[in-house]
Amino acid sequence: MISVVLVVQQNESAELARTLQNLVTYAIDGFVVDVTLMHDSLDDTTRLLADEAGCMLRDQNAGLAPVLDEARGDWLLFMDPGSTLEAGWADVVNAHAVADGGAAYFQFAVLDAHSWWRCILMPGTHKSPLARG
């Protein structure tokens, strides 16, 4: 049903492992049908982890077209390494898909009112929405 796409950088094996571990249950259930890692270059540890997990590796410089052509899922889910999905997300997505609700996106239930301050005053502590899960 869903193809997951992750953009991976060098030395992100720990973050990638956390995300892939979170996706295993959904892959067993058949909800996640494939995972593609887009990269510029990978270190040996990250490459081995991707290979062991059965991920497809694609050169980031080739663009998104090859990933879209090879995706087996009906939907694409873009994630950052290190992000995880909370319990119950699959039920919401499934209900939306069954209702033929069209394109969708995830949103935080509670937005941090001070996040823009963090971006300005503490730029190293700010994470992208994908990185925060």
Side-chain angles (χ1 to χ4, degrees):
M1 176 171 205
I2 291 184
S3 292
V4 177
V5 179
L6 294 116
V7 178
V8 181
Q9 305 299 323
Q10 287 275 2
N11 302 314
E12 287 189 327
S13 58
E15 293 86 354
L16 178 61
R18 184 171 41 252
T19 300
L20 293 176
Q21 182 181 18
N22 179 249
L23 294 174
V24 166
T25 303
Y26 304 107
I28 291 170
D29 293 343
F31 199 71
V32 170
V33 294
D34 59 9
V35 177
T36 301
L37 303 183
M38 295 183 69
H39 63 90
D40 205 0
S41 66
L42 293 179
D43 58 276
D44 291 339
T45 305
T46 307
R47 185 175 296 279
L48 178 63
L49 175 63
D51 185 50
E52 292 291 324
C55 299
M56 293 182 287
L57 297 175
R58 297 295 170 257
D59 186 347
Q60 185 174 333
N61 298 320
L64 197 54
V67 174
L68 298 177
D69 289 341
E70 296 171 356
R72 294 185 299 156
D74 300 320
W75 294 67
L76 293 174
L77 174 59
F78 294 90
M79 298 176 71
D80 277 339
S83 59
T84 57
L85 299 165
E86 291 188 19
W89 76 274
D91 296 332
V92 174
V93 171
N94 193 40
H96 181 79
V98 168
D100 195 25
Y105 64 93
F106 292 100
Q107 179 176 326
F108 292 110
V110 177
L111 296 175
D112 184 355
H114 302 290
S115 63
W116 65 276
W117 280 105
R118 267 193 222 124
C119 291
I120 295 169
L121 301 175
M122 299 182 299
T125 63
H126 178 72
K127 292 183 178 180
S128 71
L130 288 175
R132 292 186 292 171

